[in-house]
Amino acid sequence: MEKGSGWGLWNPMETAAKPLKVTFNGPANHWTDALPIGNGRLGAMVWGGVASETLQLNEKWTTHSVQKFSDDTLWTGTPGNYTNPNAPVALLEVRKLVDNGKYAEATEVAIKLTGNLAEVYQLLGDIKLEFDASHLTYAEETYHRELDLDTATVRVKYSVGDVEFTREHFASNPDQVIVTKISGSKPGCLSFSVSLDSKLDHHSYINDKNQVIMEGSCPGERLPPARDANGNSKGIKFSAVLDLQISDGRGVIHVLDDKKLRVEGSDWAILLLVASSSFDGPFIKPLDSKRNPTAESISALKRIRDLSYSDLYAHHLDDYQNLFHRLSLQLANHSISVGSLEKHASAATDLCLEGCKDYTVSTAERVKSFQTDEDPSLVELLFQYGRYLLISCSRPGTQVANLQGLWNNELHPKWDGAPHLNINLEMNYWPSLPCNLSECQEPLFDFISSLSINGRKTAEVNYEASGWVVHHKSDIWAKTSADQGNVDWALWPMGGAWLCTHLWDHYTYTLDKDFLKVKAYPLLEGCACFLLDWLIEGRGGYLETNPSTSPEHDFVAPDGKSASVSYSATMDMAIIKEVFSAVVSASEVLGRKEDYLVERVRKALLRLYPTKIGGDGSIMEWAQDFEDPDVHHRHLSHLYGLFPGHTITVGKTPDLCKAAETSLYKRGLYICVNFYYLSLYLFILLGTN
């Protein structure tokens, strides 16, 4: 079937024997055990604490529970200046040191080319649900928590005495709301209190006796909140509104302390959470934004206030399953050896995956047993879980999936929770095309467009180059300059170029000529202009990049010193080849192959430094066969030409393919080779080549 034609809708009967469910038999003990839901913009983590329908962080096994939720527009900071007028002088100094073989010295001076720190992704807040102490006496054997990938719904069930309590959570994209339903099996058995809280600067109050409104703001800079003379935060403002509905004719809602709602004696309750922020694009200061987050949130609630739970759920399912049901994966039949797995049955809080309808086994134990007792349904489930996460964190109109997708539990998340362009952001979107989720890429393309605007200023001022450039790390303000930090990761001006390969890939799958002409090609042109200016005359008549790093990896220079800056790192050349090849191919589709820029690109392609094989038979990571002080380094940057690039193939470059295999053995031994080629096989199976 042609790539552009799709795969059609999935027949659920094909997988009736292997429900796609991630299940627990106890509440989460760690954030990574909680279950994520998201509609692309709003997200939450369900901990399943017995005291509530739980999206909770660090509070469990108590008489109350927290549901932490996120808005993808909540970041620290304001639009920044991503230029450095002193950079050109430093660039000449670094290049001269590299030309003279003084790589350690070049690494030290290259710090002058780095810029300011990126901003930080924030979490919105908590839904706190408090139940009475009787919930602590629940029957542990009745507890069940699951994420149903087929419906994008989290469910929690447990019994207290002869009453079964049920909770359902889902995040609706069409109605832009996080929905929670709590119910009990006996009339009038449901009582609890609910409030909103946040680690950010905020205040909350009650509206209309059944709504909790929380208003606040993000810090105007990375460190403590910046405030102007009037005491107003310079950062992004936000609002969240929680609407509470209970069963008709039974139950009552009380207002407590003007901040909390208390439900008494209801059959069921439905919580609707909407949120908005003042973020109005990467180029508008929050203080200049005309958006009113509270008014927008209340308006969003009014649009759905009269919809029943069934209506909301139907809208959610129709939207989600239109994406999720496009692709099914069956690797083998499901006559799995169950005995060897069941003997590893573990504690009540272990994560379990239902691969067959007649057994439930801990994920940890299934992973342990996989080497000796292969379980294809585990691979199928994990594969579909990846598709679920992409659908849940990246939709048209949302922000780009960041380092943690959408979900976050800290004000200072690891690596700022920012988009990292030296592999992480690209990996987020690798599944979008081969897994038939092309719409989920739209936020990436919008992000690239914003980067190209700031990136032109960075290219012109910092490097005296045309076109546009982005380095390894960005944020919601479309930061394009090198981040502040070690040059082995900060000084890497190939981020925009790598992202541009996704534009061409999108065309090759969809054959959308309008997309190529209007969106992709202008961005590819700008990227190619920068790369042509960035390349300089080098050794042996080749064009080279200088300075150049292999992301996050150092080498031992010939003088015995540690360094990271040299010239023409293998990954640089591989990415540039991909971009230049895309420009040439796109120009042919659009009838522009005679353009002057295209002619320059064709000539430059022939002069790019080639990928070489080192003395040990592996792909050389740098232009010289430097000593590698960390042969098991976590990155495989020098294998970009093999994947996701296309310049190393079995048919055209068998020697390089063999060297790539040697590189994998060198990096991580046989298991690394197996997983790498398994990934390649799955992508090929799904039509990437």
Side-chain angles (χ1 to χ4, degrees):
M1 183 175 291
E2 293 181 359
K3 292 178 182 177
S5 61
W7 285 265
L9 290 180
W10 168 30
N11 178 3
M13 293 303 293
E14 293 177 2
T15 54
K18 45 180 175 57
L20 294 170
K21 293 183 179 181
V22 181
T23 72
F24 291 82
N25 49 16
N29 287 327
H30 308 283
W31 186 68
T32 49
D33 293 337
L35 296 171
I37 57 173
N39 64 13
R41 185 176 68 86
L42 297 173
M45 296 290 284
V46 181
W47 283 63
V50 176
S52 77
E53 172 69 279
T54 302
L55 297 173
Q56 179 187 359
L57 285 175
N58 303 326
E59 209 168 326
K60 47 200 173 292
W61 299 96
T62 63
T63 57
H64 70 284
S65 163
V66 181
Q67 172 178 334
K68 280 206 183 298
F69 51 99
S70 303
D71 181 313
D72 70 350
T73 62
L74 294 191
W75 285 73
T76 65
T78 61
N81 176 15
Y82 308 118
T83 63
N84 176 9
N86 298 318
V89 174
L91 178 61
L92 291 175
E93 186 179 358
V94 172
R95 283 177 168 171
K96 184 176 180 180
L97 289 169
V98 169
D99 287 341
N100 292 331
K102 297 182 178 180
Y103 303 114
E105 292 80 0
T107 301
E108 292 178 4
V109 174
I111 195 71
K112 297 179 182 179
L113 295 172
T114 61
N116 297 323
L117 292 167
E119 294 299 336
V120 184
Y121 184 49
Q122 302 288 277
L123 73 164
L124 178 54
D126 309 330
I127 299 174
K128 292 188 174 181
L129 299 163
E130 300 174 69
F131 293 78
D132 60 61
S134 67
H135 286 255
L136 289 174
T137 64
Y138 79 103
E140 292 186 12
E141 68 276 8
T142 66
Y143 186 95
H144 179 75
R145 176 165 58 106
E146 71 176 28
L147 166 60
D148 186 343
L149 300 183
D150 185 55
T151 61
T153 306
V154 169
R155 298 182 181 88
V156 178
K157 291 185 179 181
Y158 62 91
S159 295
V160 177
D162 59 353
V163 178
E164 181 181 69
F165 290 94
T166 302
R167 302 193 292 269
E168 291 185 335
H169 308 267
F170 63 90
S172 169
N173 176 269
D175 293 314
Q176 287 297 298
V177 60
I178 292 178
V179 182
T180 290
K181 182 177 182 180
I182 311 172
S183 60
S185 60
K186 286 191 173 183
C189 65
L190 185 62
S191 299
F192 66 94
S193 62
V194 59
S195 60
L196 295 179
D197 195 8
S198 177
K199 293 181 179 180
L200 294 169
D201 185 27
H202 75 283
H203 67 278
S204 59
Y205 57 94
I206 301 300
N207 181 54
D208 287 342
K209 298 183 179 181
N210 73 320
Q211 292 180 349
V212 185
I213 297 179
M214 180 173 68
E215 299 170 335
S217 60
C218 299
E221 56 187 28
R222 286 180 58 98
L223 297 174
R227 294 178 177 274
D228 63 24
N230 297 320
N232 298 318
S233 171
K234 296 179 181 178
I236 296 171
K237 293 179 172 58
F238 66 85
S239 178
V241 180
L242 182 70
D243 184 89
L244 174 62
Q245 305 171 16
I246 62 173
S247 52
D248 297 329
R250 183 177 283 114
V252 63
I253 300 175
H254 301 286
V255 176
L256 305 178
D257 302 325
D258 197 36
K259 293 183 179 181
K260 183 183 295 187
L261 297 174
R262 175 73 183 174
V263 175
E264 293 285 355
S266 181
D267 295 346
W268 51 261
I270 295 173
L271 309 177
L272 305 178
L273 188 283
V274 296
S276 184
S277 82
S278 64
F279 178 75
D280 203 14
F283 312 117
I284 298 177
K285 295 179 180 179
L287 286 178
D288 295 335
S289 173
K290 305 302 182 184
R291 295 184 60 181
N292 184 325
T294 299
E296 290 182 9
S297 296
I298 292 175
S299 177
L301 262 180
K302 287 181 179 179
R303 289 194 295 269
I304 63 173
R305 189 66 172 78
D306 294 331
L307 295 177
S308 68
Y309 180 81
S310 297
D311 291 335
L312 290 169
Y313 196 55
H315 294 173
H316 162 67
L317 288 182
D318 182 64
D319 167 75
Y320 171 77
Q321 291 181 340
N322 178 57
L323 293 169
F324 190 73
H325 281 183
R326 290 176 180 177
L327 183 151
S328 62
L329 177 67
Q330 183 171 339
L331 298 178
N333 63 41
H334 293 272
S335 56
I336 303 167
S337 175
V338 178
S340 62
L341 294 174
E342 289 182 333
K343 69 181 181 181
H344 296 299
S346 51
T349 57
D350 281 344
L351 169 64
C352 301
L353 300 171
E354 294 185 7
C356 296
K357 57 186 177 183
D358 56 350
Y359 76 90
T360 301
V361 185
S362 157
T363 298
E365 296 306 325
R366 291 181 74 179
V367 171
K368 288 179 182 178
S369 65
F370 192 84
Q371 294 184 26
T372 57
D373 196 353
E374 291 187 359
D375 181 359
S377 66
L378 174 61
V379 178
E380 295 167 9
L381 182 56
L382 293 177
F383 174 84
Q384 294 288 18
Y385 183 59
R387 295 182 70 241
Y388 165 81
L389 291 175
L390 182 59
I391 294 171
S392 300
C393 74
S394 184
R395 294 290 200 100
T398 71
Q399 297 302 306
V400 72
N402 62 49
L403 194 62
Q404 296 177 175
L406 171 63
W407 303 275
N408 177 28
N409 65 328
E410 299 175 348
L411 291 179
H412 301 282
K414 297 293 185 182
W415 301 286
D416 301 333
H420 286 235
L421 280 59
N422 66 1
I423 191 170
N424 306 90
L425 178 58
E426 292 85 358
M427 286 181 69
N428 283 349
Y429 288 96
W430 281 352
S432 58
L433 292 170
C435 296
N436 210 1
L437 299 172
S438 63
E439 299 95 323
C440 294
Q441 273 200 133
E442 290 187 23
L444 179 65
F445 302 147
D446 294 338
F447 187 54
I448 297 173
S449 295
S450 297
L451 291 172
S452 72
I453 295 172
N454 283 338
R456 285 189 180 276
K457 302 172 187 176
T458 304
E460 180 181 3
V461 176
N462 291 28
Y463 302 127
E464 297 179 335
S466 59
W468 61 276
V469 63
V470 187
H471 292 75
H472 104 287
K473 185 178 181 181
S474 191
D475 54 29
I476 199 170
W477 308 110
K479 172 182 167 62
T480 52
S481 58
D483 205 48
Q484 185 182 108
N486 294 336
V487 296
D488 63 356
W489 50 263
L491 185 58
W492 192 73
M494 293 291 122
W498 191 345
L499 290 180
C500 277
T501 66
H502 286 249
L503 297 166
W504 177 244
D505 286 344
H506 184 80
Y507 170 74
T508 63
Y509 269 83
T510 64
L511 301 180
D512 184 343
K513 193 171 180 178
D514 288 338
F515 168 82
L516 182 64
K517 179 180 180 179
V518 176
K519 187 80 168 183
Y521 196 71
L523 292 169
L524 283 164
E525 276 188 314
C527 178
C529 285
F530 170 76
L531 294 175
L532 287 168
D533 286 354
W534 182 244
L535 288 163
I536 59 177
E537 293 292 334
R539 300 152 178 82
Y542 291 112
L543 295 175
E544 67 180 33
T545 55
N546 177 4
S548 178
T549 60
S550 189
E552 305 182 27
H553 201 186
D554 296 342
F555 58 86
V556 178
D559 59 7
K561 297 178 182 178
S562 176
S564 59
V565 173
S566 62
Y567 65 95
S568 298
T570 301
M571 190 182 204
D572 279 10
M573 294 295 108
I575 291 176
I576 294 172
K577 289 173 186 174
E578 293 289 333
V579 173
F580 283 180
S581 296
V583 168
V584 171
S585 297
S587 71
E588 294 173 353
V589 174
L590 298 175
R592 300 185 58 177
K593 62 182 180 180
E594 303 301 328
D595 287 5
Y596 175 63
L597 173 67
V598 178
E599 183 60 28
R600 290 182 64 201
V601 166
R602 282 199 190 94
K603 292 179 179 179
L605 257 173
L606 300 175
R607 298 182 59 202
L608 294 178
Y609 206 84
T611 301
K612 291 188 174 182
I613 300 174
D616 62 358
S618 65
I619 298 288
M620 286 169 51
E621 189 160 355
W622 300 274
Q624 291 188 37
D625 202 1
F626 295 127
E627 179 186 342
D628 187 345
D630 183 8
V631 294
H632 300 308
H633 192 268
R634 62 193 176 280
H635 280 238
L636 296 168
S637 304
H638 51 314
L639 300 188
Y640 180 95
L642 177 67
F643 185 84
H646 306 85
T647 55
I648 299 178
T649 65
V650 174
K652 294 182 180 179
T653 58
D655 291 343
L656 290 179
C657 275
K658 179 62 178 177
E661 183 177 357
T662 301
S663 298
L664 289 169
Y665 277 102
K666 179 180 175 181
R667 269 291 202 268
L669 302 179
Y670 188 68
I671 191 168
C672 180
V673 178
N674 280 349
F675 277 111
Y676 195 84
Y677 281 111
L678 174 61
S679 299
L680 287 177
Y681 172 75
L682 286 175
F683 277 104
I684 293 170
L685 176 70
L686 293 167
T688 58
N689 289 320

